[in-house]
Amino acid sequence: MSKLSRRQLLVAGSGTLAMPFISRAAFAGGSSIITSAQARFLPVPALLQPENGDTVTLAMAMARHNFGPGDKTALSAGLNAEYLAPTVHLTKGTDINFKVQNRLGDVTTLHWHGLFVPSVKDGGPHNTIKDGEDWNIKVHIDQPSSTNWFHPHVHQNTAYQAHLGLAGLMIVDDGKDRERGLPRTYGVDDIPLVLQDRRVVEGDNVYAPDGMDLIHGFHGDKLIVNGVMEPQHEVPAGIMRLRLLNGANARIFNLSFEDRRPFHVIASDGGYLEKPVETGILPIGPGERYEVLVDFSKGKTPVTLFTSSDDNGGGEALPLMLFTSHGRKSEITTIPATFDTLSPANSGMAEETRSFFMDDRMMENMQVLMKGMGGGSHGMTHGGGHDGMVHSGRSTEQAGPPMTAASSGMAMAIAGETFDMNRIDVKARLGSYEMWSLTTSGEMQHPFHIHGASFRVLSLDGKAPPAWATGWKDTVLVNETADLLVHFNRQADEKHPFMFHCHTLEHEDLGMMGQFITV
Ligand code: C2O
Ligand code: CU
Ligand code: CU
């Protein structure tokens, strides 16, 4: 069988051609702009500022949360919060104790995505915390200034737990942002924006994936920022620093302002770029972080931040949030010209080259779904237009019983194998650089993430990466090919290997994940 496009497969798999390609709200269409009269205010997560030797307690618990106007208060979970978590500020050079309390009623783990820690403290699938138990670890903070995050990573249940709201930010700070001339007052000119989506059915927040949701990753029809739909935030007339995290299970955000004012990208996952990179559109895949400066001293306010279409499945342009101005000047009024120098990165530094195919097993999984259709419930029946891939207006009943990665009969793979907690896929020399060449089937983009290592993107689809993606990263959106120079600078043992995987959480749960140790 020749390779079919995703759309052809969808049509072929549906057994019917009655799937209109609905073109949704045009970009920046008048009705889709948020107005300050109705919008709720953006919640800025509380800030925890532990000092050397302090203990940070993070209690993971079920809760209820209201995402937006007209919505019911829905099932959620958070860490010290009904949804998401406080932001933890970590000073470089300190030792911090984390006490993670699992009060979820189910087994979990808490992974420190982006933090430089040995694998035994990484919070991957091997670091399980049973319900009612605590996990106590001491972490030495020793890495460049950066925005990182934590979220559950439990075997085959990460997507569900993360979607409940179990995620929070960690800011690593080397204390030099004043010298750098950067905005640095949390909540004032430096705010985090956690970008996510929800599927709202009859006012309720529903995570009930069907087979197609597992294949494409679960997309919602409503966007939320810091846990609230279409919020507004008042900013000073000057330079704002936005710490962007794509905390969605699967949605790719393509950010832009209504008036196309530029983002000045100053940092990626692993720390600062050499100088700010100006762009009108900023794509950000699940798990990725970018820090941007935005000038609110010129141009009109209020101004709406949008995301345009996600090729993997959320077809429409949607407003994310509104920035209004309180008119007062901010401390920082100019964009600094340069930051830290980046170390060189080239293929000559690699002592090993490896190739990995991020295998969505599209054909096999579609076949599993089609077989399941005989029962009339699972799989291909959808109420909504499929071009958008967003099942708005479809109730859980219409969708059929939700599927889990384990119950679906589907699987995805990386490097030829579906995830196995008992198999070590790669042994890398501690301290070495390796060239990792990633390929996909081309049907979908996959956000590749590696624990316990940092990389530089040498090429994407055979071309140089965009300038904002040339710094240190741990997650990158792969369309067809990517060449990464990976630095293995954290230690992993056989009992607690590090993970590398697709950060579309449904794909991760389906097995597009492998393990490595350092030797
Ligand atoms: Cu953000 Cu393996 O995860
Ligand atoms: Cu991670
Ligand atoms: Cu994927």
Side-chain angles (χ1 to χ4, degrees), residues 23-61:
S23 81
R24 307 269 186 124
F27 180 79
S31 62
S32 57
I33 292 182
I34 306 166
T35 60
S36 55
Q38 328 133 353
R40 280 164 70 177
F41 285 98
L42 176 82
V44 175
L47 187 68
L48 300 178
Q49 294 179 278
E51 289 174 14
N52 190 30
D54 282 356
T55 297
V56 175
T57 302
L58 295 171
M60 305 170 83

Side-chain angles (χ1 to χ4, degrees), residues 44-214:
V44 175
L47 187 68
L48 300 178
Q49 294 179 278
E51 289 174 14
N52 190 30
D54 282 356
T55 297
V56 175
T57 302
L58 295 171
M60 305 170 83
M62 300 302 295
R64 299 196 71 83
H65 179 69
N66 183 268
F67 291 93
D71 283 5
K72 294 176 188 154
T73 300
L75 186 69
S76 67
L79 302 104
N80 309 358
E82 63 181 36
Y83 189 80
L84 299 177
T87 298
V88 186
H89 176 276
L90 299 166
T91 304
K92 189 173 173 182
T94 59
D95 287 302
I96 305 298
N97 302 296
F98 282 106
K99 180 192 246 338
V100 181
Q101 303 180 317
N102 177 4
R103 306 292 182 264
L104 290 171
D106 198 359
V107 62
T108 192
T109 83
L110 195 65
H111 166 56
W112 318 104
H113 182 141
L115 213 59
F116 286 21
V117 292
S119 66
V120 63
K121 299 175 182 178
D122 187 52
H126 297 268
N127 289 119
T128 49
I129 317 169
K130 292 201 194 90
D131 179 41
E133 292 190 348
D134 294 355
W135 184 47
N136 295 294
I137 53 158
K138 184 192 219 167
V139 171
H140 181 60
I141 308 302
D142 184 19
Q143 68 185 89
S145 289
S146 48
T147 302
N148 302 292
W149 65 303
F150 47 81
H151 62 79
H153 216 300
V154 69
H155 184 51
Q156 290 194 323
N157 205 24
T158 295
Y160 172 69
Q161 290 192 349
H163 194 84
L164 282 171
L166 293 165
L169 287 155
M170 293 176 289
I171 296 173
V172 175
D173 184 359
D174 66 4
K176 292 185 187 147
D177 279 1
R178 179 184 296 275
E179 289 164 40
R180 292 186 184 100
L182 286 171
R184 63 191 171 279
T185 311
Y186 185 84
V188 177
D189 58 6
D190 177 352
I191 58 166
L193 301 179
V194 181
L195 312 175
Q196 296 174 310
D197 57 357
R198 300 290 107 174
R199 188 173 301 171
V200 178
V201 178
E202 283 151 20
D204 208 355
N205 169 45
V206 175
Y207 183 81
D210 61 18
M212 292 309 292
D213 291 323
L214 296 183

Side-chain angles (χ1 to χ4, degrees), residues 33 258-259 261 296-304 322-323 325:
I33 292 182
E258 168 196 344
D259 61 359
R261 79 181 58 200
F296 289 104
S297 69
K298 335 188 235 297
K300 69 144 197 139
T301 44
V303 62
T304 301
L322 184 74
F323 290 91
S325 172

Side-chain angles (χ1 to χ4, degrees), residues 53 59 83 228 375 422 465:
Y83 189 80
V228 168
N422 299 311

Side-chain angles (χ1 to χ4, degrees), residues 111-114 122 149 151 153 449-452 474-475 499 501 503:
H111 166 56
W112 318 104
H113 182 141
D122 187 52
W149 65 303
H151 62 79
H153 216 300
H449 168 52
I450 185 164
H451 296 207
D474 56 49
T475 309
M499 305 295 132
H501 60 91
H503 218 289

Side-chain angles (χ1 to χ4, degrees), residues 459-477:
S459 72
L460 290 174
D461 292 344
K463 294 192 289 275
W468 61 79
T470 53
W472 287 105
K473 289 180 66 55
D474 56 49
T475 309
V476 65
L477 206 47

Side-chain angles (χ1 to χ4, degrees), residues 3-7 9-10 212 215-216 357-370 410-412 441-444 446 507 512:
K3 195 166 112 176
L4 296 177
S5 73
R6 173 172 63 86
R7 178 167 294 164
L9 276 169
L10 292 171
M212 292 309 292
I215 287 178
H216 294 280
F357 178 46
M358 301 179 81
D359 188 357
D360 48 47
R361 297 199 178 165
M362 182 72 89
M363 206 58 78
E364 295 90 326
N365 289 331
M366 295 298 288
Q367 275 159 7
V368 170
L369 281 193
M370 280 183 254
M410 296 194 283
M412 294 191 180
S441 68
E443 302 291 353
M444 280 184 277
H446 299 278
H507 294 181
M512 196 186 281

